[in-house]
Amino acid sequence: LPASMYTEIQRERPDGGNILTQPEYIDGNPDLIKPKKLLNPVKASKSHQELHRELLMNHKRGLSVDSKPELQRVLEHRRRNQIIRQKKEEEEAKKLQSPFEKELLKRHQRLDQLEKEQEKQEDHAPEFIKVKENLRRTTTVTEDEKAA
């Protein structure tokens, strides 16, 4: 009787205790389908291949990867300056607002909020109330027209 399970496992392995076994397709069995290496979808894409080719050409020429074409640098510089200018103009416009204009803006915002709340309340009102209001409006209009 074996002293432990470990001795049994050692006896069952004739390959000298090698844990990794060789795959069966290496034996050259023609009946087996040999596995193919999977393609990386990123590397298979045309844009990646073109970028890689361009990087290799730049490396052969001795160009730095960080250097950009002059036109692109100029356009980026203009864009940056334009954004900075716009931010400065907005800040100046905010500073130049008089207290009167600020108060007008606050009142306008309050009125908008009140109108929205009224619309919400009208949407929740029963339908017969809406119809009744419409009838009142039409009757008052016709009475005014008769008087004129």
Side-chain angles (χ1 to χ4, degrees):
L1 291 171
S4 68
M5 286 295 284
Y6 183 69
T7 54
E8 276 186 41
I9 292 172
Q10 280 183 333
R11 271 192 228 136
E12 290 177 7
R13 287 195 200 146
D15 58 350
N18 188 3
I19 295 174
L20 298 174
T21 59
Q22 298 296 327
E24 295 177 9
Y25 60 84
I26 293 180
D27 297 339
N29 189 349
D31 296 335
L32 295 177
I33 300 172
K34 296 182 181 179
K36 294 180 182 178
K37 190 173 183 179
L38 295 175
L39 293 176
N40 185 348
V42 174
K43 289 185 178 181
S45 71
K46 289 225 178 216
S47 60
H48 178 81
Q49 290 174 357
E50 290 171 359
L51 179 65
H52 186 66
R53 194 175 307 122
E54 185 178 342
L55 287 171
L56 286 176
M57 287 174 54
N58 285 344
H59 181 69
K60 286 179 186 176
R61 291 182 193 160
L63 296 175
S64 174
V65 177
D66 296 333
S67 65
K68 296 180 181 178
E70 185 178 351
L71 177 63
Q72 189 175 0
R73 276 186 276 146
V74 170
L75 290 175
E76 287 177 358
H77 184 68
R78 283 185 184 173
R79 251 185 256 128
R80 230 179 282 122
N81 287 342
Q82 187 177 16
I83 291 171
I84 291 170
R85 243 185 279 121
Q86 285 177 351
K87 287 182 181 178
K88 285 182 182 178
E89 289 174 0
E90 289 173 2
E91 289 175 4
E92 289 175 7
K94 287 180 182 177
K95 289 178 183 176
L96 294 177
Q97 281 183 343
S98 67
F100 178 70
E101 290 175 337
K102 290 179 183 177
E103 193 63 33
L104 281 176
L105 280 173
K106 287 180 184 177
R107 287 187 181 188
H108 184 69
Q109 290 172 352
R110 278 191 225 136
L111 285 174
D112 287 342
Q113 287 178 350
L114 289 173
E115 287 177 3
K116 288 179 184 178
E117 289 175 3
Q118 286 177 356
E119 287 176 4
K120 287 180 184 178
Q121 288 176 356
E122 289 176 2
D123 290 341
H124 295 297
E127 190 173 339
F128 69 92
I129 293 176
K130 293 178 189 176
V131 172
K132 188 176 180 182
E133 288 176 0
N134 289 340
L135 288 174
R136 285 182 188 165
R137 289 181 194 154
T138 54
T139 56
T140 56
V141 170
T142 54
E143 290 174 6
D144 292 338
E145 290 175 0
K146 289 179 183 177

Short mmCIF file of all heavy atoms in Angstrom, two decimals, residues 3-61:
data_model
loop_
_atom_site.label_atom_id
_atom_site.label_comp_id
_atom_site.label_asym_id
_atom_site.label_seq_id
_atom_site.Cartn_x
_atom_site.Cartn_y
_atom_site.Cartn_z
N ALA A 3 2.17 4.98 0.73
CA ALA A 3 2.15 5.76 1.96
C ALA A 3 1.28 7.01 1.82
O ALA A 3 0.67 7.43 2.79
CB ALA A 3 3.56 6.15 2.36
N SER A 4 1.21 7.57 0.63
CA SER A 4 0.39 8.77 0.46
C SER A 4 -0.09 8.87 -0.99
O SER A 4 0.36 8.12 -1.86
CB SER A 4 1.20 10.01 0.82
OG SER A 4 2.22 10.20 -0.13
N MET A 5 -0.97 9.82 -1.23
CA MET A 5 -1.48 10.04 -2.58
C MET A 5 -0.37 10.59 -3.49
O MET A 5 -0.36 10.35 -4.68
CB MET A 5 -2.64 11.05 -2.56
CG MET A 5 -3.93 10.49 -2.02
SD MET A 5 -4.59 9.21 -3.06
CE MET A 5 -5.26 10.16 -4.39
N TYR A 6 0.53 11.32 -2.92
CA TYR A 6 1.60 11.93 -3.70
C TYR A 6 2.46 10.85 -4.37
O TYR A 6 2.82 10.98 -5.53
CB TYR A 6 2.47 12.81 -2.79
CG TYR A 6 3.57 13.52 -3.52
CD1 TYR A 6 3.27 14.54 -4.41
CD2 TYR A 6 4.90 13.17 -3.34
CE1 TYR A 6 4.26 15.20 -5.10
CE2 TYR A 6 5.91 13.81 -4.03
CZ TYR A 6 5.58 14.84 -4.90
OH TYR A 6 6.58 15.49 -5.58
N THR A 7 2.73 9.75 -3.68
CA THR A 7 3.54 8.68 -4.28
C THR A 7 2.78 8.01 -5.40
O THR A 7 3.36 7.60 -6.40
CB THR A 7 3.94 7.65 -3.22
OG1 THR A 7 2.77 7.18 -2.55
CG2 THR A 7 4.92 8.25 -2.22
N GLU A 8 1.44 7.90 -5.28
CA GLU A 8 0.64 7.31 -6.37
C GLU A 8 0.70 8.18 -7.61
O GLU A 8 0.85 7.68 -8.72
CB GLU A 8 -0.83 7.18 -5.93
CG GLU A 8 -1.11 5.94 -5.14
CD GLU A 8 -2.60 5.82 -4.87
OE1 GLU A 8 -3.41 6.10 -5.78
OE2 GLU A 8 -2.94 5.44 -3.76
N ILE A 9 0.60 9.49 -7.42
CA ILE A 9 0.63 10.41 -8.56
C ILE A 9 2.00 10.33 -9.23
O ILE A 9 2.09 10.34 -10.46
CB ILE A 9 0.33 11.85 -8.10
CG1 ILE A 9 -1.13 11.94 -7.63
CG2 ILE A 9 0.57 12.86 -9.22
CD1 ILE A 9 -1.48 13.26 -6.97
N GLN A 10 3.03 10.23 -8.48
CA GLN A 10 4.37 10.14 -9.07
C GLN A 10 4.53 8.86 -9.88
O GLN A 10 5.17 8.86 -10.92
CB GLN A 10 5.44 10.18 -7.97
CG GLN A 10 5.71 11.57 -7.47
CD GLN A 10 6.82 11.58 -6.45
OE1 GLN A 10 7.06 10.58 -5.75
NE2 GLN A 10 7.49 12.71 -6.34
N ARG A 11 3.96 7.77 -9.43
CA ARG A 11 4.07 6.51 -10.16
C ARG A 11 3.29 6.56 -11.47
O ARG A 11 3.68 5.96 -12.45
CB ARG A 11 3.53 5.37 -9.31
CG ARG A 11 4.58 4.78 -8.46
CD ARG A 11 4.09 3.48 -7.86
NE ARG A 11 4.39 3.53 -6.44
CZ ARG A 11 3.60 3.18 -5.47
NH1 ARG A 11 2.41 2.71 -5.73
NH2 ARG A 11 3.96 3.28 -4.23
N GLU A 12 2.15 7.29 -11.48
CA GLU A 12 1.32 7.35 -12.68
C GLU A 12 1.97 8.17 -13.78
O GLU A 12 1.68 7.97 -14.95
CB GLU A 12 -0.05 7.94 -12.35
CG GLU A 12 -0.91 7.01 -11.54
CD GLU A 12 -2.23 7.65 -11.16
OE1 GLU A 12 -2.52 8.76 -11.65
OE2 GLU A 12 -2.97 7.05 -10.38
N ARG A 13 2.86 9.08 -13.46
CA ARG A 13 3.51 9.93 -14.46
C ARG A 13 4.84 9.31 -14.89
O ARG A 13 5.82 9.41 -14.17
CB ARG A 13 3.78 11.32 -13.90
CG ARG A 13 2.57 12.16 -13.77
CD ARG A 13 2.99 13.58 -13.56
NE ARG A 13 1.88 14.32 -12.98
CZ ARG A 13 1.98 15.29 -12.13
NH1 ARG A 13 3.17 15.69 -11.73
NH2 ARG A 13 0.93 15.90 -11.66
N PRO A 14 4.88 8.77 -16.06
CA PRO A 14 6.15 8.20 -16.52
C PRO A 14 7.09 9.26 -17.11
O PRO A 14 8.23 8.99 -17.36
CB PRO A 14 5.72 7.21 -17.59
CG PRO A 14 4.43 7.74 -18.10
CD PRO A 14 3.78 8.43 -16.94
N ASP A 15 6.56 10.51 -17.34
CA ASP A 15 7.38 11.52 -18.00
C ASP A 15 8.33 12.24 -17.05
O ASP A 15 8.91 13.24 -17.40
CB ASP A 15 6.48 12.54 -18.72
CG ASP A 15 5.51 13.22 -17.76
OD1 ASP A 15 5.42 12.78 -16.60
OD2 ASP A 15 4.85 14.18 -18.18
N GLY A 16 8.45 11.79 -15.86
CA GLY A 16 9.40 12.38 -14.92
C GLY A 16 8.81 13.51 -14.10
O GLY A 16 9.53 14.32 -13.55
N GLY A 17 7.50 13.59 -14.01
CA GLY A 17 6.87 14.59 -13.16
C GLY A 17 6.65 15.93 -13.85
O GLY A 17 6.36 16.90 -13.19
N ASN A 18 6.82 15.99 -15.17
CA ASN A 18 6.59 17.23 -15.89
C ASN A 18 5.10 17.55 -15.89
O ASN A 18 4.29 16.76 -16.34
CB ASN A 18 7.12 17.12 -17.32
CG ASN A 18 7.08 18.45 -18.04
OD1 ASN A 18 6.72 19.47 -17.46
ND2 ASN A 18 7.46 18.43 -19.30
N ILE A 19 4.73 18.70 -15.34
CA ILE A 19 3.32 19.06 -15.23
C ILE A 19 2.75 19.44 -16.58
O ILE A 19 1.64 19.06 -16.94
CB ILE A 19 3.14 20.22 -14.23
CG1 ILE A 19 3.55 19.75 -12.84
CG2 ILE A 19 1.71 20.72 -14.21
CD1 ILE A 19 3.57 20.84 -11.80
N LEU A 20 3.51 20.20 -17.38
CA LEU A 20 3.02 20.63 -18.69
C LEU A 20 3.19 19.50 -19.69
O LEU A 20 4.27 18.93 -19.84
CB LEU A 20 3.80 21.85 -19.17
CG LEU A 20 3.68 23.10 -18.31
CD1 LEU A 20 4.60 24.17 -18.83
CD2 LEU A 20 2.25 23.58 -18.32
N THR A 21 2.12 19.17 -20.37
CA THR A 21 2.19 18.12 -21.37
C THR A 21 2.24 18.76 -22.74
O THR A 21 1.72 19.86 -22.95
CB THR A 21 0.98 17.19 -21.29
OG1 THR A 21 -0.20 17.96 -21.47
CG2 THR A 21 0.93 16.47 -19.96
N GLN A 22 2.81 18.09 -23.68
CA GLN A 22 2.91 18.60 -25.04
C GLN A 22 1.56 18.41 -25.73
O GLN A 22 0.89 17.41 -25.52
CB GLN A 22 4.00 17.84 -25.81
CG GLN A 22 5.38 18.00 -25.22
CD GLN A 22 5.85 19.43 -25.30
OE1 GLN A 22 5.52 20.14 -26.24
NE2 GLN A 22 6.62 19.87 -24.30
N PRO A 23 1.14 19.36 -26.55
CA PRO A 23 -0.14 19.20 -27.26
C PRO A 23 -0.08 18.05 -28.24
O PRO A 23 0.98 17.69 -28.75
CB PRO A 23 -0.33 20.54 -27.97
CG PRO A 23 0.98 21.21 -27.94
CD PRO A 23 1.78 20.62 -26.83
N GLU A 24 -1.25 17.47 -28.51
CA GLU A 24 -1.33 16.29 -29.36
C GLU A 24 -1.05 16.60 -30.83
O GLU A 24 -0.64 15.74 -31.58
CB GLU A 24 -2.71 15.65 -29.23
CG GLU A 24 -2.97 15.12 -27.84
CD GLU A 24 -4.37 14.55 -27.71
OE1 GLU A 24 -5.05 14.42 -28.75
OE2 GLU A 24 -4.78 14.23 -26.59
N TYR A 25 -1.28 17.83 -31.28
CA TYR A 25 -1.12 18.14 -32.70
C TYR A 25 0.35 18.19 -33.12
O TYR A 25 0.65 18.18 -34.29
CB TYR A 25 -1.84 19.43 -33.08
CG TYR A 25 -1.36 20.67 -32.36
CD1 TYR A 25 -0.27 21.38 -32.82
CD2 TYR A 25 -2.02 21.12 -31.24
CE1 TYR A 25 0.17 22.51 -32.17
CE2 TYR A 25 -1.59 22.25 -30.58
CZ TYR A 25 -0.50 22.95 -31.05
OH TYR A 25 -0.07 24.06 -30.40
N ILE A 26 1.27 18.23 -32.18
CA ILE A 26 2.68 18.26 -32.53
C ILE A 26 3.12 16.88 -33.06
O ILE A 26 4.06 16.77 -33.83
CB ILE A 26 3.53 18.69 -31.31
CG1 ILE A 26 3.23 20.14 -30.99
CG2 ILE A 26 5.02 18.48 -31.54
CD1 ILE A 26 3.98 20.70 -29.82
N ASP A 27 2.43 15.83 -32.68
CA ASP A 27 2.80 14.48 -33.11
C ASP A 27 2.68 14.31 -34.61
O ASP A 27 3.27 13.39 -35.17
CB ASP A 27 1.90 13.44 -32.41
CG ASP A 27 2.08 13.45 -30.91
OD1 ASP A 27 3.13 13.95 -30.45
OD2 ASP A 27 1.17 12.99 -30.19
N GLY A 28 1.94 15.18 -35.26
CA GLY A 28 1.81 15.08 -36.71
C GLY A 28 0.65 14.22 -37.13
O GLY A 28 0.65 13.67 -38.22
N ASN A 29 -0.31 14.08 -36.29
CA ASN A 29 -1.49 13.30 -36.62
C ASN A 29 -2.30 14.07 -37.67
O ASN A 29 -2.79 15.16 -37.40
CB ASN A 29 -2.32 13.06 -35.36
CG ASN A 29 -3.44 12.07 -35.59
OD1 ASN A 29 -3.75 11.71 -36.73
ND2 ASN A 29 -4.05 11.63 -34.50
N PRO A 30 -2.45 13.52 -38.89
CA PRO A 30 -3.15 14.27 -39.95
C PRO A 30 -4.65 14.37 -39.72
O PRO A 30 -5.32 15.19 -40.34
CB PRO A 30 -2.85 13.45 -41.20
CG PRO A 30 -2.57 12.08 -40.71
CD PRO A 30 -1.95 12.24 -39.34
N ASP A 31 -5.23 13.60 -38.83
CA ASP A 31 -6.66 13.64 -38.58
C ASP A 31 -7.06 14.85 -37.73
O ASP A 31 -8.21 15.28 -37.76
CB ASP A 31 -7.13 12.37 -37.87
CG ASP A 31 -6.93 11.13 -38.75
OD1 ASP A 31 -6.90 11.31 -39.99
OD2 ASP A 31 -6.82 10.02 -38.21
N LEU A 32 -6.12 15.39 -36.99
CA LEU A 32 -6.44 16.51 -36.10
C LEU A 32 -6.38 17.83 -36.85
O LEU A 32 -5.57 18.03 -37.74
CB LEU A 32 -5.45 16.55 -34.93
CG LEU A 32 -5.48 15.37 -33.98
CD1 LEU A 32 -4.39 15.52 -32.93
CD2 LEU A 32 -6.83 15.30 -33.29
N ILE A 33 -7.25 18.74 -36.46
CA ILE A 33 -7.25 20.09 -37.03
C ILE A 33 -6.30 20.93 -36.19
O ILE A 33 -6.46 21.03 -34.98
CB ILE A 33 -8.67 20.70 -37.01
CG1 ILE A 33 -9.61 19.85 -37.84
CG2 ILE A 33 -8.63 22.14 -37.50
CD1 ILE A 33 -11.05 20.26 -37.73
N LYS A 34 -5.34 21.52 -36.85
CA LYS A 34 -4.35 22.31 -36.12
C LYS A 34 -4.93 23.70 -35.83
O LYS A 34 -5.53 24.31 -36.72
CB LYS A 34 -3.06 22.43 -36.92
CG LYS A 34 -2.40 21.09 -37.12
CD LYS A 34 -1.11 21.21 -37.86
CE LYS A 34 -0.49 19.84 -38.07
NZ LYS A 34 0.75 19.90 -38.81
N PRO A 35 -4.74 24.19 -34.63
CA PRO A 35 -5.29 25.52 -34.29
C PRO A 35 -4.51 26.63 -34.99
O PRO A 35 -3.32 26.53 -35.21
CB PRO A 35 -5.11 25.60 -32.77
CG PRO A 35 -4.00 24.68 -32.47
CD PRO A 35 -4.06 23.58 -33.49
N LYS A 36 -5.24 27.70 -35.33
CA LYS A 36 -4.61 28.85 -35.96
C LYS A 36 -4.58 29.99 -34.95
O LYS A 36 -5.47 30.11 -34.11
CB LYS A 36 -5.40 29.29 -37.19
CG LYS A 36 -5.38 28.28 -38.31
CD LYS A 36 -6.16 28.79 -39.49
CE LYS A 36 -6.18 27.76 -40.60
NZ LYS A 36 -6.99 28.20 -41.74
N LYS A 37 -3.58 30.81 -35.07
CA LYS A 37 -3.47 31.95 -34.18
C LYS A 37 -4.56 32.97 -34.53
O LYS A 37 -4.78 33.28 -35.70
CB LYS A 37 -2.10 32.59 -34.32
CG LYS A 37 -1.81 33.63 -33.28
CD LYS A 37 -0.38 34.09 -33.38
CE LYS A 37 -0.09 35.08 -32.28
NZ LYS A 37 1.30 35.54 -32.31
N LEU A 38 -5.25 33.49 -33.51
CA LEU A 38 -6.31 34.45 -33.74
C LEU A 38 -5.73 35.79 -34.16
O LEU A 38 -4.68 36.20 -33.68
CB LEU A 38 -7.14 34.64 -32.47
CG LEU A 38 -7.91 33.41 -32.00
CD1 LEU A 38 -8.59 33.70 -30.67
CD2 LEU A 38 -8.93 33.00 -33.03
N LEU A 39 -6.44 36.46 -35.08
CA LEU A 39 -5.99 37.78 -35.53
C LEU A 39 -6.45 38.85 -34.55
O LEU A 39 -7.57 38.80 -34.06
CB LEU A 39 -6.57 38.09 -36.92
CG LEU A 39 -6.06 37.23 -38.06
CD1 LEU A 39 -6.81 37.60 -39.34
CD2 LEU A 39 -4.58 37.44 -38.25
N ASN A 40 -5.57 39.79 -34.29
CA ASN A 40 -5.93 40.93 -33.46
C ASN A 40 -6.70 41.91 -34.33
O ASN A 40 -6.18 42.40 -35.32
CB ASN A 40 -4.65 41.57 -32.90
CG ASN A 40 -4.92 42.68 -31.94
OD1 ASN A 40 -6.05 43.14 -31.82
ND2 ASN A 40 -3.90 43.11 -31.24
N PRO A 41 -7.96 42.24 -33.99
CA PRO A 41 -8.75 43.12 -34.86
C PRO A 41 -8.15 44.53 -34.97
O PRO A 41 -8.33 45.18 -35.99
CB PRO A 41 -10.12 43.16 -34.19
CG PRO A 41 -9.93 42.65 -32.82
CD PRO A 41 -8.70 41.80 -32.82
N VAL A 42 -7.45 44.97 -33.95
CA VAL A 42 -6.84 46.30 -34.02
C VAL A 42 -5.71 46.30 -35.04
O VAL A 42 -5.60 47.18 -35.88
CB VAL A 42 -6.33 46.73 -32.63
CG1 VAL A 42 -5.56 48.03 -32.71
CG2 VAL A 42 -7.48 46.84 -31.66
N LYS A 43 -4.86 45.29 -34.96
CA LYS A 43 -3.72 45.22 -35.88
C LYS A 43 -4.17 44.91 -37.30
O LYS A 43 -3.50 45.25 -38.26
CB LYS A 43 -2.71 44.18 -35.41
CG LYS A 43 -1.97 44.61 -34.18
CD LYS A 43 -0.90 43.62 -33.81
CE LYS A 43 -0.11 44.09 -32.60
NZ LYS A 43 0.94 43.15 -32.24
N ALA A 44 -5.30 44.25 -37.44
CA ALA A 44 -5.80 43.90 -38.77
C ALA A 44 -6.46 45.09 -39.46
O ALA A 44 -6.63 45.07 -40.68
CB ALA A 44 -6.79 42.75 -38.67
N SER A 45 -6.81 46.13 -38.72
CA SER A 45 -7.50 47.27 -39.33
C SER A 45 -6.56 48.06 -40.24
O SER A 45 -5.37 48.16 -39.99
CB SER A 45 -8.08 48.18 -38.26
OG SER A 45 -7.04 48.86 -37.60
N LYS A 46 -7.13 48.61 -41.32
CA LYS A 46 -6.33 49.36 -42.29
C LYS A 46 -5.72 50.60 -41.67
O LYS A 46 -4.58 50.95 -41.95
CB LYS A 46 -7.20 49.75 -43.48
CG LYS A 46 -7.57 48.59 -44.34
CD LYS A 46 -7.39 48.98 -45.77
CE LYS A 46 -7.73 47.77 -46.62
NZ LYS A 46 -6.91 47.67 -47.75
N SER A 47 -6.49 51.29 -40.82
CA SER A 47 -5.98 52.53 -40.24
C SER A 47 -4.76 52.26 -39.36
O SER A 47 -3.79 53.01 -39.38
CB SER A 47 -7.07 53.23 -39.42
OG SER A 47 -7.51 52.39 -38.38
N HIS A 48 -4.80 51.14 -38.63
CA HIS A 48 -3.65 50.78 -37.78
C HIS A 48 -2.44 50.46 -38.65
O HIS A 48 -1.32 50.88 -38.35
CB HIS A 48 -4.00 49.60 -36.89
CG HIS A 48 -2.87 49.15 -36.03
ND1 HIS A 48 -2.55 49.77 -34.85
CD2 HIS A 48 -1.96 48.16 -36.19
CE1 HIS A 48 -1.49 49.18 -34.32
NE2 HIS A 48 -1.12 48.19 -35.11
N GLN A 49 -2.67 49.72 -39.72
CA GLN A 49 -1.56 49.35 -40.60
C GLN A 49 -0.95 50.60 -41.25
O GLN A 49 0.28 50.72 -41.34
CB GLN A 49 -2.04 48.38 -41.67
CG GLN A 49 -2.39 47.01 -41.12
CD GLN A 49 -3.00 46.11 -42.17
OE1 GLN A 49 -3.23 46.51 -43.30
NE2 GLN A 49 -3.30 44.87 -41.78
N GLU A 50 -1.80 51.52 -41.69
CA GLU A 50 -1.28 52.75 -42.31
C GLU A 50 -0.51 53.59 -41.31
O GLU A 50 0.56 54.14 -41.63
CB GLU A 50 -2.44 53.56 -42.90
CG GLU A 50 -3.06 52.90 -44.11
CD GLU A 50 -4.34 53.59 -44.55
OE1 GLU A 50 -4.74 54.58 -43.89
OE2 GLU A 50 -4.94 53.14 -45.54
N LEU A 51 -1.01 53.68 -40.10
CA LEU A 51 -0.32 54.44 -39.06
C LEU A 51 1.03 53.81 -38.74
O LEU A 51 2.04 54.50 -38.62
CB LEU A 51 -1.19 54.51 -37.80
CG LEU A 51 -0.59 55.23 -36.61
CD1 LEU A 51 -0.41 56.72 -36.93
CD2 LEU A 51 -1.48 55.07 -35.39
N HIS A 52 1.05 52.49 -38.65
CA HIS A 52 2.30 51.79 -38.37
C HIS A 52 3.31 52.01 -39.49
O HIS A 52 4.49 52.27 -39.25
CB HIS A 52 2.01 50.30 -38.19
CG HIS A 52 3.20 49.50 -37.77
ND1 HIS A 52 3.80 49.66 -36.55
CD2 HIS A 52 3.92 48.56 -38.42
CE1 HIS A 52 4.83 48.84 -36.46
NE2 HIS A 52 4.92 48.15 -37.58
N ARG A 53 2.82 51.94 -40.73
CA ARG A 53 3.70 52.16 -41.89
C ARG A 53 4.27 53.59 -41.86
O ARG A 53 5.47 53.80 -42.10
CB ARG A 53 2.90 51.93 -43.18
CG ARG A 53 3.76 51.79 -44.42
CD ARG A 53 2.93 51.44 -45.65
NE ARG A 53 2.08 50.29 -45.46
CZ ARG A 53 0.76 50.28 -45.59
NH1 ARG A 53 0.11 51.38 -45.91
NH2 ARG A 53 0.06 49.19 -45.41
N GLU A 54 3.42 54.56 -41.54
CA GLU A 54 3.86 55.95 -41.48
C GLU A 54 4.89 56.14 -40.36
O GLU A 54 5.90 56.84 -40.55
CB GLU A 54 2.66 56.86 -41.24
CG GLU A 54 3.01 58.33 -41.29
CD GLU A 54 1.78 59.21 -41.11
OE1 GLU A 54 0.66 58.71 -41.29
OE2 GLU A 54 1.98 60.39 -40.79
N LEU A 55 4.66 55.51 -39.22
CA LEU A 55 5.63 55.61 -38.12
C LEU A 55 6.97 55.01 -38.50
O LEU A 55 8.03 55.57 -38.18
CB LEU A 55 5.07 54.92 -36.87
CG LEU A 55 3.96 55.66 -36.14
CD1 LEU A 55 3.37 54.78 -35.05
CD2 LEU A 55 4.47 56.95 -35.54
N LEU A 56 6.95 53.88 -39.19
CA LEU A 56 8.20 53.25 -39.62
C LEU A 56 8.95 54.15 -40.61
O LEU A 56 10.17 54.31 -40.51
CB LEU A 56 7.93 51.89 -40.26
CG LEU A 56 7.55 50.76 -39.30
CD1 LEU A 56 7.21 49.50 -40.08
CD2 LEU A 56 8.69 50.48 -38.34
N MET A 57 8.21 54.76 -41.55
CA MET A 57 8.85 55.63 -42.53
C MET A 57 9.46 56.86 -41.83
O MET A 57 10.58 57.27 -42.14
CB MET A 57 7.84 56.07 -43.59
CG MET A 57 7.48 54.95 -44.55
SD MET A 57 6.17 55.37 -45.70
CE MET A 57 6.76 56.85 -46.43
N ASN A 58 8.73 57.44 -40.88
CA ASN A 58 9.26 58.59 -40.14
C ASN A 58 10.49 58.20 -39.34
O ASN A 58 11.43 58.98 -39.23
CB ASN A 58 8.19 59.17 -39.22
CG ASN A 58 7.14 59.95 -39.97
OD1 ASN A 58 7.35 60.32 -41.14
ND2 ASN A 58 6.01 60.19 -39.35
N HIS A 59 10.47 57.00 -38.80
CA HIS A 59 11.63 56.54 -38.02
C HIS A 59 12.85 56.37 -38.93
O HIS A 59 13.97 56.73 -38.55
CB HIS A 59 11.29 55.23 -37.32
CG HIS A 59 12.40 54.69 -36.48
ND1 HIS A 59 12.80 55.30 -35.32
CD2 HIS A 59 13.20 53.61 -36.66
CE1 HIS A 59 13.81 54.61 -34.81
NE2 HIS A 59 14.06 53.58 -35.60
N LYS A 60 12.63 55.83 -40.12
CA LYS A 60 13.74 55.65 -41.06
C LYS A 60 14.31 56.99 -41.51
O LYS A 60 15.51 57.15 -41.69
CB LYS A 60 13.28 54.86 -42.30
CG LYS A 60 13.07 53.39 -42.02
CD LYS A 60 12.59 52.68 -43.27
CE LYS A 60 12.25 51.23 -42.96
NZ LYS A 60 11.70 50.56 -44.15
N ARG A 61 13.43 57.98 -41.69
CA ARG A 61 13.87 59.31 -42.10
C ARG A 61 14.54 60.07 -40.97
O ARG A 61 15.24 61.04 -41.20
CB ARG A 61 12.68 60.14 -42.59
CG ARG A 61 12.09 59.67 -43.87
CD ARG A 61 10.97 60.61 -44.26
NE ARG A 61 10.17 60.04 -45.33
CZ ARG A 61 8.95 60.41 -45.62
NH1 ARG A 61 8.37 61.35 -44.90
NH2 ARG A 61 8.29 59.86 -46.60
#
